Amino acid sequence: MSTAEGQQAKTDTFMADMKKRLEEASKLTPEELKFSYKGILYPTILCSEETFQAMEKMEAREDDVLIVTYPKCGTNWSLQILHEMILEVNKKEPTMIKGMLEFGKPEKYEYLSQQPSPRVLATHIPCEDISKSFFEKKTKVLLILRNPKDTAVSYYHFTNKNPTLPTYESWDLFYKDYITGNVIYGSYFDYTIQWEKHIDDGNILVLTFEDMKEDLSRELRKISDFYGLALTDEQIKLVQEKTTFSSMKEKSSNTHGDLANVFFRKGEVGDWKNLFTEEQSKEVDAQFEKYLAGTKLGNMINYEKYCTF
Ligand code: A3P
């Protein structure tokens, strides 16, 4: 089977599975669509306690690529980047799973343990709940941050368009849950600040959605250097062309099926200004000040530039 056929077969299986899950989801109330594990809300249709327990015990590898993000900060974008980069350099697909590391059945970790390196994995679960094995093995971690206001707006549209997640009748109702950390995957601020203590570990690269929008090839070079992939300028250019918003959106009905428009919406910086009230904006400013101002991660978010009306 060719690489393209292999990719298509995996996508078809994912689509069939997703269809089943969407049917299951349509029978649940918004309350039934979420459950709590270790104090954080998760989607019932995609996650389970058994899978979390199996994931806590999973064996990491030194050469795994672990992408960590709060939802809507650029997960699919960075997954595609790593996929294209590794394919370009190795001329062979990396091991990838559809969806997040925490989705699906517990048996998936057994399957993953048998797959060849490098394995490209992504998770939204809080840093403190990630299998200790990743830290013991010093697996290289790619953390993608996005400013908290655009993240909220992206999340609002996503939760309303994705049948596996609770829907909200208005932006204001979603915003209330977002600011109190009552959304799936919990508080943006708790999530982000937990990574601050790993910032000097030496095996973490932090990029931002906004910097990637500003100059993608510059950020791609950082990823290539960090993972020792040594892409040539020509290869960086090729990967860049394949991972712009427009090229990913164009191919999204093949990669994400019915959920294409759910995952690839606008891909812009500053959309928050269309929904936030002055009062909500000030409330997020206060949260930023309390949790992230003056921290290394907080500085990287470039809050003044991206979060001022
Ligand atoms: P918007 O809803 O603001 O458009 P995630 O993959 O973590 O769920 O993040 C989804 C967000 O990333 C969406 O933001 C989506 O449009 C945006 N996105 C996906 N691919 C992108 C790309 N190649 N360039 C810019 N933004 C992208």
Side-chain angles (χ1 to χ4, degrees):
M1 204 186 280
S2 71
T3 299
E5 283 166 347
Q7 172 100 347
Q8 194 53 50
K10 270 193 241 160
T11 304
D12 291 347
T13 317
F14 171 70
M15 302 299 183
D17 185 50
M18 204 57 201
K19 221 172 168 154
K20 209 175 94 211
R21 285 171 195 276
L22 296 184
E23 272 166 28
E24 281 171 41
S26 66
K27 295 179 198 134
L28 301 185
T29 64
E31 277 313 305
E32 287 169 338
L33 283 169
K34 51 193 176 184
F35 73 100
S36 176
Y37 182 74
K38 292 191 175 176
I40 304 278
L41 293 173
Y42 291 101
T44 315
I45 294 290
L46 302 172
C47 299
S48 72
E49 219 167 301
E50 298 75 57
T51 301
F52 283 129
Q53 280 154 8
M55 188 173 60
E56 277 157 29
K57 289 190 224 112
M58 94 171 262
E59 276 288 312
R61 295 183 195 157
E62 205 182 319
D63 60 2
D64 282 336
V65 169
L66 185 66
I67 296 171
V68 298
T69 50
Y70 184 78
K72 314 322 295 167
C73 289
T75 325
N76 286 274
W77 193 4
S78 40
L79 276 168
Q80 191 66 28
I81 290 171
L82 263 307
H83 174 265
E84 297 297 348
M85 281 188 169
I86 292 170
L87 182 58
E88 191 54 45
V89 172
N90 295 356
K91 303 292 174 220
K92 189 173 168 284
E93 299 247 345
T95 295
M96 294 189 78
I97 42 169
K98 290 282 176 188
M100 297 294 102
L101 188 54
E102 60 272 24
F103 292 176
K105 303 228 161 71
E107 298 82 74
K108 78 187 280 186
Y109 305 107
E110 181 57 35
Y111 164 82
L112 264 176
S113 72
Q114 292 156 7
Q115 300 310 303
S117 292
R119 304 180 301 182
V120 179
L121 311 166
T123 181
H124 297 315
I125 69 166
C127 159
E128 285 170 2
D129 295 333
I130 291 176
S131 164
K132 298 285 165 284
S133 180
F134 285 101
F135 298 96
E136 285 156 13
K137 294 272 164 52
K138 301 200 184 313
T139 304
K140 285 186 183 167
V141 173
L142 175 61
L143 167 64
I144 311 285
L145 302 177
R146 187 179 192 184
N147 80 67
K149 294 182 184 175
D150 279 335
T151 302
V153 168
S154 179
Y155 208 165
Y156 168 61
H157 292 292
F158 185 71
T159 198
N160 272 358
K161 282 194 274 177
N162 185 336
T164 64
L165 301 178
T167 42
Y168 288 84
E169 276 176 24
S170 68
W171 156 251
D172 286 348
L173 287 174
F174 173 80
Y175 171 79
K176 271 198 194 108
D177 273 357
Y178 180 78
I179 198 72
T180 52
N182 213 13
V183 285
I184 301 275
Y185 287 108
S187 152
Y188 168 98
F189 295 96
D190 284 342
Y191 177 91
T192 308
I193 198 61
Q194 276 192 19
W195 280 105
E196 180 77 6
K197 59 177 163 305
H198 291 289
I199 189 102
D200 295 321
D201 283 3
N203 55 336
I204 175 162
L205 175 67
V206 187
L207 301 182
T208 70
F209 184 100
E210 293 78 10
D211 285 349
M212 288 163 71
K213 280 295 288 185
E214 185 183 82
D215 188 343
L216 185 53
S217 65
R218 179 190 65 204
E219 301 306 298
L220 294 181
R221 174 58 65 204
K222 289 184 194 168
I223 298 176
S224 166
D225 290 349
F226 178 63
Y227 284 105
L229 291 168
L231 272 83
T232 62
D233 289 346
E234 188 57 30
Q235 287 174 315
I236 292 276
K237 193 159 171 275
L238 278 175
V239 173
Q240 185 197 343
E241 282 162 8
K242 288 184 182 160
T243 56
T244 59
F245 182 74
S246 54
S247 24
M248 283 185 62
K249 192 172 172 77
E250 211 173 285
K251 284 192 229 93
S252 60
S253 53
N254 295 331
T255 55
H256 290 74
D258 292 346
L259 293 179
N261 289 332
V262 179
F263 278 96
F264 300 92
R265 192 183 62 92
K266 278 193 175 177
E268 285 171 9
V269 176
D271 195 30
W272 65 270
K273 291 179 191 167
N274 295 317
L275 283 183
F276 267 77
T277 64
E278 189 80 42
E279 194 188 330
Q280 290 164 345
S281 175
K282 285 201 175 118
E283 202 177 5
V284 175
D285 295 349
Q287 289 273 57
F288 185 86
E289 191 58 36
K290 179 172 159 203
Y291 284 85
L292 287 163
T295 65
K296 286 186 181 169
L297 291 176
N299 292 341
M300 295 186 79
I301 290 172
N302 213 336
Y303 194 82
E304 283 292 305
K305 178 167 174 190
Y306 294 114
C307 286
T308 310
F309 256 122

